Amino acid sequence: MSVAEGSVRGVLAANLKRVRTQRGLSLSELSRRSKIGKATLSQLESGTGNPTIETVFSLSRALEVPISDLVDQRPSAGVTVIRATDVEVLSGKGVDLRPLRRIESGGSVLEIYDQQVRASCTQESLGHIGSEHTVVQIGRLGVQVGGREVELGPGDYVGFDAAMPHSYTALDGPVRSVLLLHYQAEQRLHLTGPGQDACCPGVPARPPLQDTAPS
């Protein structure tokens, strides 16, 4: 089976093998760290697997790299226009993500996603590196972070330390939002050289969870 070079599967296959090799990890060790089967990892590296949001986030946690290190294809310089219909959807149990852009500045990384939480669905995350920021465009979104719950409406924003377990729930029909993931310079662990230990990243101060529930 051939894999399109710019497809999510194709980009993930190339990036996953590159990052795993840089880390000096075998498929067996990555399987142990990510709790993803060795056969599944082999399929992902060959471009024949079917990556989900849960799989990509598990790999991001295990390899301690930004998600875009795994699914991003670097855009060319100049004006960048990305059409929604041209971007493959990365789906999870309750969320569809379209990766739009990765921006690097001063050693830090900002990832921009178009995010849709499907009606009456919940997407849970055990946590990952970086900070997470969401601006709701359409619908009512329930957000739970570290045991605290807030409700967001159109125009509302929430930000938090993504290392904490968190979830998004569409409370009344589907929710459309912009998701931003930000990684500080000290979290740029993918710059670590091959064979170096990156198991103990610094944990940034947690920004407060703002209660912006609509009245």
Side-chain angles (χ1 to χ4, degrees):
M1 178 185 299
S2 62
V3 180
E5 182 178 346
S7 69
V8 170
R9 286 190 302 172
V11 172
L12 176 62
N15 287 341
L16 176 57
K17 186 171 184 177
R18 173 180 55 79
V19 175
R20 179 178 65 80
T21 301
Q22 288 176 345
R23 286 285 185 271
L25 300 177
S26 65
L27 281 174
S28 296
E29 178 60 17
L30 180 56
S31 176
R32 184 188 69 81
R33 294 189 183 191
S34 65
K35 296 181 172 57
I36 298 172
K38 183 177 177 181
T40 299
L41 291 175
S42 180
Q43 290 176 340
L44 291 174
E45 285 198 359
S46 66
T48 60
N50 184 28
T52 64
I53 290 175
E54 291 83 6
T55 299
V56 173
F57 273 73
S58 292
L59 291 171
S60 171
R61 285 195 302 272
L63 294 167
E64 296 180 312
V65 295
I67 295 165
S68 58
D69 273 17
L70 299 175
V71 300
D72 182 69
Q73 187 174 38
R74 305 298 170 85
S76 58
V79 176
T80 301
V81 176
I82 301 175
R83 306 292 184 187
T85 54
D86 294 337
V87 181
E88 281 190 83
V89 175
L90 186 62
S91 295
K93 292 181 178 179
V95 167
D96 296 317
L97 283 181
R98 289 180 175 84
L100 298 178
R101 187 68 191 268
R102 168 190 173 113
I103 301 172
E104 298 191 40
S105 177
S108 65
V109 174
L110 179 68
E111 300 170 353
I112 306 173
Y113 297 87
D114 171 46
Q115 175 177 256
Q116 181 167 316
V117 186
R118 296 190 290 276
S120 303
C121 289
T122 296
Q123 182 73 38
E124 298 180 339
S125 173
L126 295 175
H128 49 88
I129 64 172
S131 58
E132 192 156 328
H133 310 265
T134 295
V135 180
V136 175
Q137 297 171 301
I138 300 172
R140 292 171 55 242
L141 181 65
V143 182
Q144 186 175 73
V145 182
R148 182 177 177 186
E149 298 182 20
V150 295
E151 180 181 321
L152 306 178
D156 290 342
Y157 158 88
V158 66
F160 52 88
D161 177 2
M164 295 186 288
H166 51 278
S167 66
Y168 292 131
T169 301
L171 300 176
D172 184 16
V175 176
R176 195 71 175 266
S177 62
V178 175
L179 171 67
L180 304 176
L181 298 180
H182 181 235
Y183 308 94
Q184 299 288 351
E186 63 268 22
Q187 295 169 319
R188 293 294 309 278
L189 300 178
H190 61 303
L191 295 179
T192 302
Q196 294 183 18
D197 187 1
C199 66
C200 303
V203 178
R206 295 181 178 181
L209 179 63
Q210 299 295 331
D211 189 349
T212 54
S215 57

